[in-house]
Amino acid sequence: MKSINPATQTLIREYPDHNSEDVEEMLERSSRAFRDFSKTSFDQRADMLNQAAAVLREKKEQWARLMTEEMGKPIKEARAEVEKCAWVCEHYAETGAQGLKPKKIETDATNSWVQFQPLGTVLAVMPWNFPFWQVFRFAAPTLMAGNTALLKHAGNVSGCALAIEEIFAQAQVPDGVFQTLLIDHDLAEKVIKDRRVHAVSLTGSTRAGRAVASVAGQALKPTLLELGGSDPFIVLADANLEKAAKEATRARCLNSGQSCIAAKRFIVVDEVHDEFIHLFRKEMRALKIGDPTDESIDIGPQARVDLAEALHEQVKASIAAGAVALMGGEPSGLGPAFYPPTIISRVDPGMSVFDEETFGPVAAVIRAKNTDHAIKLANQTEYGLGASLWTTSDTIQPLVDAIDSGHVAINGIVKSDPRLPFGGIKDSGYGRELGEMGLHAFVNAKTVADF
Ligand code: NDP
């Protein structure tokens, strides 16, 4: 497995894959570790998570540089990612015991309750875009619930994958409780089917979700899928346009545009369409693209050259179908993985940038006739992760109800928060991470009725 710095295209390091024997040993170690770890107290697990948070903060610079080097994230965003990982560990250390304690329910039995027991070993298949956050978002509640974890990370961020294993080891998490597997898809399939693996969590593309869930489905193992999105950013006639344009830029370009919950389709009602585009363009123009280790940079390279190329194909296809590039739209001369902030207007359903997930700093602007049309366009997608709605109206509930997604942000951008459940509907996946639901993602909710 090769880690290639996307900004410079230099080889950082090659990592030898784990082979079948290595994997067998790790599965056995995980299974053995579960026997003791599942019996540890909530206080003991909370201590480990607090220690993991401390290790993250102590070496924040080291972890942030590693992410930036392997996948090109701007360094200031990489530091914020490490902080957020520490937060999710502390959040579950603080709230885990309460969320997992047995819940009493009145019935005709003398006593009845539901108790939450860990399932066993959970395999996490994770992507490269937030190489630390996606893993900690899964690991903190999963370990707090008493499970053990195996990580199969994306092939281009093996350094991050091994660093996370090291962080948990430094946090006194017992041997075998969290292990990183450096494996290809074939071996991953064998791991999913193995009797010592009890569930799978995947964050990534819809294609990867379908492949992994079908193998897990054959083996009757529960899956949690957090897949792609094509989130609408809906601007209504009464919106605060200046604020909307500023936040639209952040919502689209955070992580150089490579986020499942990035706003991707900007649906603007006719009345304010031109004014919004004018303001949006001004904000997008102010972004600085370049060397991601430079503190002043807003947009780094895309994580891999093939991803930048695929993005450009989507832009070209949409322009050929009648859309217009108002800015960007041509690869920048900075290097093969760089793609500039781009606004495409006159976008309609049927065009690539409307129908597909665009994973990069490309904003598709769609003109809507009115509010009803805007909501109809917002829902005209196979995805359903998040939506951002911009309006100063007080009667938002009917609009919130009408939007098909797992999350609605009003006058703000869609972002994950350890306190709130997170996940999608339709091709964006199923199940919820974070919040109390995240704690219950991989547990046996055991009903007990004592007559
Ligand atoms: P993938 O979804 O293919 O990769 C995500 C993870 O899934 C990686 O660990 C990958 O491993 C693994 N994976 C993929 N297929 C299988 C399989 N059949 N069996 C086991 N593991 C599998 O992302 P890509 O890197 O190919 O990105 C392509 C597009 O996916 C992006 O342009 C973007 O649109 C979308 N994407 C969305 C993400 C999100 O957060 N919603 C995150 C990443 C990508 P490996 O690296 O070894 O292939």
Side-chain angles (χ1 to χ4, degrees):
M1 281 176 191
K2 286 184 183 161
S3 283
I4 294 171
N5 182 327
T8 59
Q9 290 303 307
T10 50
L11 178 70
I12 303 165
R13 202 170 144 188
E14 261 181 273
Y15 295 86
D17 290 19
H18 287 128
N19 60 27
S20 303
E21 288 87 64
D22 301 328
V23 170
E24 169 57 31
E25 216 173 275
M26 290 162 100
L27 283 164
E28 211 32 54
R29 204 178 303 146
S30 187
S31 184
R32 260 201 318 271
F34 178 73
R35 278 175 230 148
D36 290 334
F37 189 67
S38 57
K39 295 192 185 78
T40 51
S41 68
F42 290 134
D43 281 350
Q44 285 171 305
R45 293 177 211 158
D47 271 353
M48 292 172 206
L49 288 179
N50 280 327
Q51 287 189 61
V55 176
L56 281 158
R57 290 213 175 90
E58 265 161 37
K59 299 186 184 160
K60 178 159 79 177
E61 199 56 30
Q62 180 184 330
W63 314 129
R65 295 218 165 259
L66 177 60
M67 280 190 264
T68 296
E69 199 180 24
E70 281 198 315
M71 55 67 67
K73 183 186 295 285
I75 187 71
K76 57 190 178 191
E77 293 186 12
R79 289 192 195 106
E81 183 166 339
V82 178
E83 275 296 333
K84 197 165 175 182
C85 293
W87 179 22
V88 79
C89 289
E90 287 167 349
H91 173 74
Y92 281 111
E94 196 187 324
T95 62
Q98 177 65 22
L100 289 160
K101 77 172 194 216
K103 306 260 183 285
K104 268 184 161 303
I105 299 166
E106 292 291 322
T107 65
D108 50 357
T110 313
N111 273 312
S112 41
W113 67 92
V114 182
Q115 61 188 45
F116 303 101
Q117 289 178 257
L119 283 183
T121 294
V122 186
L123 172 70
V125 180
M126 289 291 151
W128 42 263
N129 58 341
F130 293 94
F132 267 53
W133 167 246
Q134 310 276 30
V135 177
F136 278 92
R137 178 176 75 183
F138 151 81
T142 303
L143 298 188
M144 190 64 206
N147 297 290
T148 52
L150 292 171
L151 168 66
K152 182 255 169 284
H153 217 325
N156 54 329
V157 290
S158 298
C160 291
L162 293 170
I164 295 168
E165 188 181 52
E166 185 190 323
I167 289 165
F168 281 119
Q170 286 181 20
Q172 311 303 324
V173 170
D175 184 52
V177 170
F178 184 98
Q179 299 177 85
T180 288
L181 306 170
L182 300 180
I183 53 173
D184 62 16
H185 295 184
D186 288 345
L187 213 40
E189 196 170 309
K190 291 204 178 99
V191 173
I192 296 167
K193 289 179 181 160
D194 191 279
R195 64 182 165 75
R196 289 160 292 189
V197 169
H198 301 89
V200 184
S201 179
L202 177 136
T203 301
S205 63
T206 301
R207 179 181 43 80
R210 281 190 214 286
V212 166
S214 61
V215 177
Q218 276 297 319
L220 289 181
K221 303 208 176 150
T223 45
L224 188 156
L225 301 181
E226 203 274 87
L227 308 178
S230 183
D231 284 7
F233 186 102
I234 308 159
V235 184
L236 300 184
D238 58 2
N240 176 337
L241 292 185
E242 293 220 344
K243 187 159 179 231
K246 210 178 207 20
E247 293 296 292
T249 305
R250 206 155 70 88
R252 176 60 280 197
C253 295
L254 197 85
N255 207 34
S256 309
Q258 304 163 111
S259 168
C260 49
I261 45 167
K264 289 166 189 149
R265 295 174 301 134
F266 297 80
I267 300 167
V268 188
V269 295
D270 186 46
E271 239 174 296
V272 293
H273 177 272
D274 295 354
E275 174 67 4
F276 175 78
I277 283 202
H278 169 73
L279 294 166
F280 188 27
R281 213 166 157 180
K282 213 165 87 188
E283 294 289 341
M284 290 282 276
R285 277 212 177 116
L287 296 174
K288 270 180 82 178
I289 177 168
D291 173 3
T293 61
D294 178 336
E295 305 288 335
S296 68
I297 284 301
D298 302 301
I299 298 194
Q302 303 298 288
R304 300 191 313 250
V305 173
D306 65 296
L307 295 164
E309 287 169 352
L311 183 66
H312 189 49
E313 288 306 316
Q314 292 174 305
V315 168
K316 279 197 302 191
S318 304
I319 291 171
V324 174
L326 295 180
M327 59 176 280
E330 284 298 333
S332 73
L334 288 163
F338 284 87
Y339 204 82
T342 295
I343 300 180
I344 313 273
S345 72
R346 299 200 196 166
V347 171
D348 286 317
M351 292 181 184
S352 181
V353 294
F354 187 100
D355 293 349
E356 299 162 10
E357 176 170 45
T358 48
F359 226 57
V362 172
V365 184
I366 303 112
R367 192 189 287 265
K369 290 185 207 118
N370 50 37
T371 300
D372 285 350
H373 187 216
I375 302 294
K376 185 169 173 246
L377 286 164
N379 290 339
Q380 206 169 329
T381 169
E382 285 162 6
Y383 294 107
L385 202 50
S388 177
L389 175 66
W390 291 80
T391 174
T392 48
S393 162
D394 289 334
T395 46
I396 48 162
Q397 194 59 51
L399 300 175
V400 170
D401 293 347
I403 294 170
D404 299 337
S405 69
H407 187 138
V408 179
I410 300 143
N411 298 319
I413 71 172
V414 178
K415 56 183 180 199
S416 58
D417 180 319
R419 295 162 294 192
L420 293 171
F422 182 88
I425 58 169
K426 304 200 281 185
D427 283 1
S428 292
Y430 50 74
R432 292 292 178 267
E433 298 191 274
L434 298 178
E436 193 169 294
M437 292 176 91
L439 276 173
H440 294 165
F442 299 113
V443 292
N444 171 15
K446 186 183 279 175
T447 297
V448 186
D450 176 3
F451 293 93

